[in-house]
Amino acid sequence: MEGIYQHFRAEEHAFIDGALEWIVQVEDQYTPRLTDFLDPRQRLILESVVGGYENIEVKFWGGVNQAERRRALIYPDYYEPSEADFQITLFDIRYPVKFTTLTHQKILGTVMSLGMKRDIFGDILTEKEEWQFFVMAEMKDYVSLQLDKIGKVNIMLEEIALDQALPVHTDWQYEGTTISSLRLDLVVATAHNISRQKAKQLVQGKLVKVNWKTVENPDFECEENDIISARGYGRVKLGEINGHTKKDKIRIEIGYLR
C-alpha cells in the first residue's frame, strides 16, 4: 500500500497512516470500526485506501443521504451494516427567535470555544430561522450539558429523529473562465472577483481553507475537485481543468453553491 501516498498531498499522509491503522484493526479483530465525522476529502482518501484490500469494505453515513460530513464504518465484507451502526444523533436548537439571529459561524465558533473537536459534529443544517446539527451519539450527553448558550444567547437542545432533519442544499453550478496559474491566491481572486492582493491577504491571514484545512501559503497549487472557502466570501469548487488557450491561459470551471 506504500504507493497510495503518491496520489495525495504530503499533508494528507498522516490521515492515510490513520486509515491504515483502522483497516488493520478490522482485519485483526474481525469487527467493524466506526470513525468520527469525515469531510468529503477524507472520505475520498479512505475509500482509496480501503480499495486496496480484498476483504474490507467501507460505508459512509451522515444522518441524511446528502450530508457533507459523514461517519465511516469500515467492516469485514461478510458484515451487513445498518444506519444504526453509525450512532448519529440529531439535535434541534431551541432559542428566542424574536430576539437573536443564529449563524453557522456563531454555532461552530461556540462549539470550538468549548474545546470540542469539529470531528464529533456532522452537518449544521438551517432553513429560515430553524437550526439543527448532527453529533456522534457517544457524545450527545456531554454536548447537551456543555452547550447551553450560543454567544450570549441561552439555548436548549432537543434530540429529534433523523427523519426530521432539514434539507441539505448542495447544488453546484459551474462557470467557465481562464486563469494564468492554479496558485491559491489567484484562484480565490478569480472565483470571488477580488484583487489578487486582497486574496493573498486572506490566505496569509489564515482565512482560506482548501478541502477543510487552513492553508497559509498563497503559492499553494490547487487541483481539480478542491473545495476552497474564504471567510466572508463563501465556498467554491474547482471543477474541470480543460487545457490551455493559445495565450497559455488555463481553462477552468468554478462551481458555486446556489
Side-chain angles (χ1 to χ4, degrees), residues 84-146:
D85 288 323
F86 290 87
Q87 301 180 41
I88 295 173
T89 294
L90 175 62
F91 278 128
D92 190 82
I93 303 175
R94 304 295 185 181
Y95 69 103
V97 175
K98 292 183 179 180
F99 302 104
T100 190
T101 300
L102 296 186
T103 65
H104 188 286
Q105 187 173 349
K106 281 183 182 179
I107 296 169
L108 189 56
T110 300
V111 166
M112 302 303 285
S113 71
L114 294 172
M116 290 185 263
K117 294 193 306 177
R118 180 66 178 95
D119 297 345
I120 74 172
F121 294 90
D123 285 13
I124 299 173
L125 310 176
T126 185
E127 190 168 65
K128 296 181 179 178
E129 296 170 334
E130 191 170 359
W131 289 87
Q132 301 173 347
F133 64 86
F134 296 105
V135 66
M136 293 164 47
E138 310 94 297
M139 297 293 294
K140 69 176 184 179
D141 292 338
Y142 178 78
V143 171
S144 296
L145 289 171
Q146 294 294 318

Side-chain angles (χ1 to χ4, degrees), residues 182 222-225 238-244 250-253:
L182 294 173
C222 297
E223 299 177 357
E224 278 190 6
N225 298 316
L238 185 57
E240 291 186 2
I241 300 172
N242 299 310
H244 291 72
I250 304 170
R251 294 189 183 93
I252 63 170
E253 290 186 347

Side-chain angles (χ1 to χ4, degrees), residues 34-227:
L34 183 62
T35 73
D36 296 348
F37 282 96
L38 306 179
D39 63 47
R41 180 67 177 180
Q42 291 171 322
R43 298 202 306 272
L44 172 66
I45 296 171
L46 179 55
E47 211 163 21
S48 298
V49 176
V50 170
Y53 292 81
E54 291 185 0
N55 302 315
I56 301 295
E57 303 284 346
V58 62
K59 187 174 182 179
F60 304 101
W61 175 246
V64 291
N65 289 329
Q66 302 83 10
E68 179 178 273
R69 301 180 64 84
R70 306 177 194 177
R71 304 190 78 174
L73 188 73
I74 307 166
Y75 56 94
D77 57 4
Y78 61 80
Y79 187 82
E80 295 185 6
S82 67
E83 290 180 3
D85 288 323
F86 290 87
Q87 301 180 41
I88 295 173
T89 294
L90 175 62
F91 278 128
D92 190 82
I93 303 175
R94 304 295 185 181
Y95 69 103
V97 175
K98 292 183 179 180
F99 302 104
T100 190
T101 300
L102 296 186
T103 65
H104 188 286
Q105 187 173 349
K106 281 183 182 179
I107 296 169
L108 189 56
T110 300
V111 166
M112 302 303 285
S113 71
L114 294 172
M116 290 185 263
K117 294 193 306 177
R118 180 66 178 95
D119 297 345
I120 74 172
F121 294 90
D123 285 13
I124 299 173
L125 310 176
T126 185
E127 190 168 65
K128 296 181 179 178
E129 296 170 334
E130 191 170 359
W131 289 87
Q132 301 173 347
F133 64 86
F134 296 105
V135 66
M136 293 164 47
E138 310 94 297
M139 297 293 294
K140 69 176 184 179
D141 292 338
Y142 178 78
V143 171
S144 296
L145 289 171
Q146 294 294 318
L147 194 58
D148 57 3
K149 286 187 177 183
I150 295 178
K152 297 180 179 179
V153 178
N154 291 323
I155 65 152
M156 287 197 316
L157 299 180
E158 179 184 355
E159 182 178 347
I160 59 176
L162 296 181
D163 61 11
Q164 296 182 47
L166 297 171
V168 179
H169 304 287
T170 55
D171 184 22
W172 294 101
Q173 294 186 10
Y174 290 89
E175 298 178 8
T177 187
T178 59
I179 196 168
S180 59
S181 83
L182 294 173
R183 284 173 50 114
L184 179 57
D185 58 350
L186 187 53
V187 172
V188 170
T190 302
H192 299 295
N193 195 28
I194 59 177
S195 71
R196 187 166 176 179
Q197 181 60 31
K198 175 62 176 177
K200 186 175 182 179
Q201 290 173 352
L202 290 172
V203 176
Q204 293 177 331
K206 302 181 181 180
L207 301 178
V208 176
K209 293 183 178 180
V210 179
N211 299 325
W212 297 270
K213 300 292 187 296
T214 300
V215 177
E216 303 174 52
N217 179 12
D219 297 338
F220 181 89
E221 192 81 1
C222 297
E223 299 177 357
E224 278 190 6
N225 298 316
D226 278 349
I227 303 292

